[in-house]
Every structure is written in C-alpha cells, then in structure tokens.
C-alpha cells in the first residue's frame, strides 16, 4: 500500500529529519544520564549537558529508544520551535505557523506547562489558552491523524518564555520515566526508581553482584536491580506519549522491543535479598515480583535489619547493600536520629565489611552519626533536598 501524501509529509518533516531533544534530569543525575546514552552507542558529539539535563540531536527513532532504555532521566522533550514574541499577536502568529497536524493526533487531550521569566508575556494561563485555541483549530480543520483506540491520548506542550524568547516543546514521554510499569503496589513514601538506579550506579552495582535490600519497603532497590541484572529495559512494561503521534510506527517499535527481549537474561538462583519489618509493604512487593516473574531472582522475607547477617545469606560472596531508613515522620516522634543512625553504622561496620553501600540520609549530620567514610551526593526526593551516602564499608 502506497503511503498517503500526509504520511509522506510526516516522514519528510518529522520522522526522517533530525530534531533537537532534551532529556530532563533531576538534580545530580545529569552525568549518569549522559553515561547511559553513551553506553547505548549514541555519539558523544551529539550530546550537550545544559542546565536541567542533556540536549541531543537525533531522529525521533533514537528518542523512542531512549524512552524505552534510559533509567535516570525524568522525561524527554522534543523541541518544536524557538522564536521571539513580545505581544500576543506575535505569539499567535508564530504558533499558527507550526504545522501541528504533523505532531499531534486529532483526538488528543491537550495539556500545557508554561513558565515565564522576565518576559512581557508573563501570564501563563493566558499564554496556554491562546496556544490551545490555535492548536485545536488546526487539528479540527481536517486532514489530521487520528490515533487508534477509544480513549483520547494525553499530549503535553511545554512553553518556556525567557526575556521574550519562546521555546516550544512536545513531551515524548507521558507519565514520568521513573514509573516503570512494574511497581503496581506501593508502600508509604516510596523511593523513585531513577534515584534507586542512580544509587546503584554510584555504588558500582553490576550483574555479578549480590544485592541486600534490608529496609526494602515496596522494593524499589530490589526491583530496579532485578531489571538491571536481567537486561529488562525500564520502559518495557509501559506506554509513552509518542505512541499516539502521527509519525509513530508500531512495527518499528515492536521490532525495537523484540531486539531488547532477545537480550533478556534468566537467573536460576536468588541474587537479590529484600527484607523489611512491615508486612503490608512486603505483601505489595511480593505481588509486584510475581506479576513480572522476578521470583527466581528476588528473595523476600520479613526480618529486621539488625538481625541480618550477609555471611549467612551469601556465603563467600560480597556485593552491595542499599538502605532507605525511615526519616522525618516515618521515624516516629519517640525515635532519636542520632542513636538510630549510630546503630546502623555499627551494624554495617560489624557485619558488612568489604561491602559497597548506599544509604539515604536526610541531612549531612546523619552521616557523622554513622561513623562511616561515605561520599555524600545531593539528591532531590519528595520535595526534600537529601543525600545519598555511597562508599565501601
């Protein structure tokens, strides 16, 4: 079947052309994201670290692969246009000059994220309203692509204005990338998967390592480590915003996932050990594990951290221990942080000597309570500036 004139336009203007993309990274994760991209074979010369993430130039197919395979970024944006506008009349003219039917399906639900700084146009709602009207008018004028499926796809347009310079971007990701589609059941205050990956990366975790996750909660460290060990791409079980674009090829994406599936590794022995004292959290973890066939590699038990002895779990083997101790409200009113972290430090020193460790710390002072020589890496989680302590016990 010959491609239509519309399909030819999409190929010529969108899928067959290089575009500028931006991988948004949480504070502290930019370098990790860059390393991931290089490991996937992306040319170093096409990557540029800028404020907030990594900018790269490629065809949409590479962006599709990055969404599927990258563990550290939050989302990936595709730059659509950059222009100057100091009035609504100029803004509307520039927005209307964009051929929106090549970027968006007709039956989409539009959302806008608008930020302004030192620009004459500063009212974000007014900017969004005018832009939405222009885009919807174009999409309803006829000839626009309609995405398959009964439900409307959510598509987000990012508009940034700084000193009257506008950058218009389209979200390629949808739901934030840390949502892998694996952790369907969660406990209170779950750790984000991209932060868990960052800590495993900093600790040098590899496929050959044992992982002990003794304050596992809903098991973010354990599940992330299992995906790394088995070569399971972080986006394998989820969908993305780009899957509803006019230029999206289901056949090409299915082939990309099939290639990834051929690299999956199977394990016959347990190599990840998750434990907690919270039976509700463990029930959630066990359900997540069974839903995605991680039972062969992850062992789950209800046990207090201070009663765990790694020499009994993995005789003759050492690896990585990851801890996300309770802090703030989770620690409780009657608990004293100084003595709590001091006991953690003593336990690690006594029984985990020679292990690489990662521990989440609510403040620098908690590191001094541990009595360990850890490198502190600032991270941002749950609205808080906290630290990841990484080092050898």
């Amino acid at each position: 079947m010959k491609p239509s004139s519309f399909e030819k336009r999409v190929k010529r203007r969108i899928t067959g052309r290089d575009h500028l993309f931006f991988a948004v990274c949480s504070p502290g994760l930019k370098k990790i994201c860059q390393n991931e991209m290089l490991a996937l074979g992306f040319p170093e010369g096409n990557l540029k670290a800028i404020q907030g993430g990594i900018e790269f130039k490629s065809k949409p197919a590479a962006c599709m692969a990055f969404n599927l395979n990258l563990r550290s970024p939050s989302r990936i944006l595709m730059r659509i246009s950059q222009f100057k506008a100091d009035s609504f009349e100029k803004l509307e003219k520039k927005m209307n000059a964009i051929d929106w039917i090549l970027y968006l399906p007709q039956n989409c639900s539009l959302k806008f994220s608008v930020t302004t700084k030192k620009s004459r146009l500063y009212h974000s709602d007014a900017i969004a309203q005018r832009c939405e009207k222009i885009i919807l008018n174009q999409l309803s004028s006829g000839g626009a692509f309609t995405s398959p499926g009964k439900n409307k796809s959510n598509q987000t347009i990012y508009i940034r204005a700084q000193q009257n310079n506008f950058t218009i971007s389209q979200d390629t990701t949808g739901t934030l990338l840390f949502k892998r589609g694996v952790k369907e059941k969660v406990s209170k205050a779950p750790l984000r998967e991209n932060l868990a990956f960052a800590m495993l990366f900093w600790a040098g975790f590899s496929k050959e390592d044992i992982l002990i996750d003794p304050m596992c909660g809903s098991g973010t460290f354990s599940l992330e480590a299992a995906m790394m060990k088995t070569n399971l791409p972080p986006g394998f079980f989820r969908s993305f915003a780009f899957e509803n674009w006019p230029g999206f090829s289901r056949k090409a994406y299915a082939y990309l996932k099939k290639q990834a599936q051929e690299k999956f590794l199977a394990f016959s022995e347990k190599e990840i050990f998750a434990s907690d004292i919270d039976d509700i959290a463990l029930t959630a973890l066990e359900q997540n594990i069974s839903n995605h066939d991680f039972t062969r590699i992850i062992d789950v038990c209800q046990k207090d951290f201070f009663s765990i002895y790694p020499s009994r779990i993995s005789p003759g083997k050492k690896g990585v221990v990851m801890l996300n101790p309770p802090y703030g409200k989770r620690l409780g009113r009657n608990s004293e942080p100084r003595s709590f972290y001091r006991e953690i430090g003593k336990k690690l020193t006594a029984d985990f000597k020679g292990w690489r460790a990662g521990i989440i710390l609510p403040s620098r002072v908690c590191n001094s309570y541990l009595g360990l020589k850890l490198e502190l890496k600032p991270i941002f989680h749950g609205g808080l500036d906290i630290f990841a302590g990484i080092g050898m016990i």
Side-chain angles (χ1 to χ4, degrees):
M1 185 175 179
K2 289 184 178 181
S4 66
S5 59
F6 177 74
E7 289 171 330
K8 288 178 180 177
R9 283 172 64 199
V10 171
K11 184 176 181 179
R12 185 172 65 250
R13 299 271 302 280
I14 309 298
T15 58
R17 181 184 292 185
D18 281 348
H19 300 268
L20 195 62
F21 293 90
F22 180 59
V24 182
C25 298
S26 297
L29 305 193
K30 194 189 305 183
K31 185 64 177 176
I32 295 177
C33 181
Q34 192 169 14
N35 287 337
E36 280 194 277
M37 289 175 160
L38 294 174
L40 289 171
F42 198 76
E44 186 173 5
N46 287 8
L47 298 177
K48 184 180 179 183
I50 63 174
Q51 184 178 356
I54 305 294
E55 202 171 61
F56 63 97
K57 187 172 282 189
S58 75
K59 290 181 173 60
C63 170
M64 187 168 66
F66 282 153
N67 270 296
L68 178 66
N69 290 291
L70 293 180
R71 302 181 188 276
S72 57
S74 303
R75 68 170 70 253
I76 301 176
L77 305 179
M78 182 169 79
R79 304 297 193 206
I80 293 178
S81 182
Q82 292 180 311
F83 54 79
K84 195 162 189 172
D86 55 8
S87 68
F88 281 116
E89 183 182 1
K90 290 180 181 177
L91 172 65
E92 290 168 356
K93 185 178 179 181
K94 292 289 187 180
M95 289 295 290
N96 202 37
I98 299 169
D99 207 347
W100 287 104
I101 66 171
L102 303 182
Y103 294 92
L104 295 166
Q106 187 178 38
N107 57 334
C108 67
S109 177
L110 275 181
K111 295 181 180 180
F112 289 84
S113 176
V114 183
T115 57
T116 65
K117 186 177 181 182
K118 296 180 180 179
S119 286
R120 290 190 66 182
L121 301 181
Y122 60 86
H123 197 296
S124 57
D125 287 343
I127 292 171
Q129 287 166 9
R130 281 165 168 79
C131 293
E132 182 177 27
K133 184 178 179 181
I134 288 168
I135 295 172
L136 291 179
N137 280 343
Q138 280 200 26
L139 295 179
S140 63
S141 64
F145 167 80
T146 302
S147 61
K150 297 179 181 179
N151 299 324
K152 286 187 174 183
S153 68
N154 293 321
Q155 299 289 329
T156 304
I157 303 300
Y158 282 74
I159 301 173
R160 186 185 57 171
Q162 185 166 5
Q163 296 180 330
N164 301 327
N165 293 304
F166 279 75
T167 300
I168 313 299
S169 305
Q170 180 179 11
D171 177 33
T172 75
T173 302
T175 304
L176 286 167
L177 284 172
F178 79 84
K179 295 192 175 182
R180 315 294 201 210
V182 171
K183 202 166 63 177
E184 296 161 18
K185 297 286 184 179
V186 297
S187 59
K188 294 179 181 178
L191 180 68
R192 286 191 171 188
E193 282 77 353
N194 58 340
L195 295 179
F197 169 69
M199 291 181 65
L200 289 164
F201 179 89
W202 286 325
F205 181 76
S206 71
K207 292 180 177 65
E208 289 71 41
D209 279 321
I210 297 292
L211 176 74
I212 294 182
D213 182 11
M215 297 180 182
C216 68
S218 52
T220 308
F221 282 124
S222 294
L223 291 168
E224 197 67 14
M227 294 178 79
M228 292 168 69
K229 273 181 165 288
T230 57
N231 281 342
L232 181 65
F236 196 83
F237 291 117
R238 55 162 289 170
S239 59
F240 299 97
F242 66 73
E243 293 181 48
N244 290 287
W245 290 5
F248 175 67
S249 169
R250 293 193 181 280
K251 185 177 179 181
Y253 189 55
Y255 179 70
L256 187 66
K257 293 184 76 171
K258 183 183 177 183
Q259 283 184 310
Q261 202 164 5
E262 289 171 355
K263 297 177 184 176
F264 287 1
L265 298 176
F267 286 80
S268 57
E269 295 181 358
K270 310 279 189 180
E271 296 196 1
I272 297 169
F273 300 89
S275 56
D276 205 293
I277 57 173
D278 186 342
D279 57 344
I280 296 175
L282 292 176
T283 299
L285 174 56
E286 286 175 334
Q287 185 171 333
N288 292 331
I289 289 172
S290 61
N291 287 346
H292 297 285
D293 199 27
F294 289 133
T295 52
R296 296 179 185 178
I297 191 171
I298 302 177
D299 180 74
V300 180
C301 69
Q302 187 169 14
K303 190 173 285 189
D304 182 77
F305 164 62
F306 297 101
S307 63
I308 290 174
Y309 297 92
S311 58
R312 299 176 188 173
I313 293 174
S314 58
K317 289 185 179 180
K318 293 181 180 179
V320 173
V321 55
M322 284 283 158
L323 296 121
N324 182 14
Y327 55 87
K329 291 181 180 179
R330 289 167 57 220
L331 189 56
R333 293 181 180 179
N334 299 323
S335 298
E336 206 279 304
R338 183 191 297 266
S339 58
F340 179 59
Y341 283 94
R342 188 171 287 161
E343 290 304 310
I344 290 176
K346 286 180 180 178
K347 174 65 177 177
L348 289 172
T349 302
D351 297 314
F352 287 84
K353 192 174 181 63
W355 284 67
R356 283 162 283 142
I359 179 168
I360 292 179
L361 302 166
S363 65
R364 288 183 180 275
V365 71
C366 288
N367 187 44
S368 64
Y369 302 156
L370 287 170
L372 303 172
K373 292 182 179 180
L374 301 179
E375 180 185 358
L376 292 188
K377 293 185 176 289
I379 55 177
F380 185 76
H381 179 59
L384 299 174
D385 291 307
I386 56 178
F387 297 90
I390 307 292
M392 179 77 77
I393 305 298

